[in-house]
Amino acid sequence: MTALWIPPVYGDTGASVRLLRDYFTRRRAKGDHYYTGAHFERLTGGGDRPETADAFTADDLLAITMLSVSVEPHGAVELLTDPDGHWGRLLSAIPRDARLEDPASAPLIAPGGPAAELWDRLANPRAAYPGKPDGVGPVVAGKLLARKRPHLIPVYDIRVKALFRRPKVDTTFWSALADALRADGGAFRARLAELRTEAGIGEDIGVLRVLDVIAWMHQGEAGQATG
């Protein structure tokens, strides 16, 4: 696996801090957040709060709309009712406190691990599982998982892919990012935490979300479409 290339924007404190502050603190004239994504992880206390961590809820489906995606009605019913028990089974196999940079989390995201299986069941029509929920593709699946396990699964969309110069078919971003967060004594993870502190956006915002927001905002300024 090729090492993850780290874009220069993460080394530019002024630019990164400005992007984070704009995303999390900018307000519209009526006083509410300009970027609805500022609500994503905090809405109703988060998707990983103990009482709902192991099930998809209506709050989770609402939260992903803050990131400009949604699930089709039939797919929403399947996620909420979990008729075959797969969602609860797999979520309960992923510890709430699992962190991508922790080597102990590697089996969770590896092929056959519960996070990888959950993503496959949600998003991958080529996986050896019966039908995925209507309206759930790779981006929606990633955002659902990022809502449920924000310290393990990063939001990954077209803007992140473009900034990190990832291949069109990318099955190794999670593991490549995990390696990058662990490399050099955790220097890149520490850098993301430093940018979060400098921006003053709150310690409850995980470093994976810091990475995503900087990428999304940077590419937005560069004219990159979302998705």
Side-chain angles (χ1 to χ4, degrees), residues 5 7 156-167 215 218-219 224-225:
W5 176 76
Y156 188 48
D157 61 18
I158 193 172
R159 291 192 184 182
V160 178
K161 177 180 284 193
L163 181 63
F164 280 85
R165 301 178 182 175
R166 301 296 294 177
H218 180 274
Q219 292 301 98
Q224 174 69 48

Side-chain angles (χ1 to χ4, degrees), residues 113-137:
E117 181 182 339
L118 181 54
W119 189 92
D120 274 342
R121 285 184 178 275
L122 287 171
N124 187 357
R126 296 179 298 278
Y129 303 114
K132 65 182 185 63
D134 292 354
V136 180

Side-chain angles (χ1 to χ4, degrees), residues 11 15 38-39 45 64-65 99 135 153 186 200 220:
H39 298 288
I64 66 171
T65 70
R99 294 181 178 271
I153 305 301

Side-chain angles (χ1 to χ4, degrees), residues 26-50:
R26 183 179 177 183
R27 300 279 175 167
R28 299 196 302 171
K30 64 188 298 184
D32 56 345
H33 281 291
Y34 183 87
Y35 292 103
T36 59
H39 298 288
F40 173 65
E41 48 273 287
R42 290 169 167 160
L43 190 70
T44 65
D48 61 340
R49 64 192 189 277

Side-chain angles (χ1 to χ4, degrees), residues 33-174:
H33 281 291
Y34 183 87
Y35 292 103
T36 59
H39 298 288
F40 173 65
E41 48 273 287
R42 290 169 167 160
L43 190 70
T44 65
D48 61 340
R49 64 192 189 277
E51 61 270 28
T52 61
D54 295 338
F56 290 116
T57 70
D59 293 337
D60 299 323
L61 300 187
L62 176 60
I64 66 171
T65 70
M66 302 296 107
L67 300 183
S68 303
V69 298
S70 61
V71 178
E72 293 178 12
H74 287 96
V77 170
E78 182 164 334
L79 290 172
L80 296 176
T81 59
D82 196 5
D84 299 313
H86 293 308
W87 318 134
R89 172 179 64 84
L90 292 166
L91 284 167
S92 65
I94 307 170
R96 290 175 52 244
D97 60 353
R99 294 181 178 271
L100 188 60
E101 69 271 17
D102 184 353
S105 296
L108 300 174
I109 64 170
E117 181 182 339
L118 181 54
W119 189 92
D120 274 342
R121 285 184 178 275
L122 287 171
N124 187 357
R126 296 179 298 278
Y129 303 114
K132 65 182 185 63
D134 292 354
V136 180
V139 172
V140 173
K143 291 177 178 181
L144 281 169
L145 268 63
R147 165 76 179 175
K148 302 309 293 184
R149 297 296 184 269
H151 304 294
L152 179 69
I153 305 301
V155 172
Y156 188 48
D157 61 18
I158 193 172
R159 291 192 184 182
V160 178
K161 177 180 284 193
L163 181 63
F164 280 85
R165 301 178 182 175
R166 301 296 294 177
K168 183 176 181 180
V169 177
D170 187 4
T171 60
T172 63
F173 183 72
W174 293 355

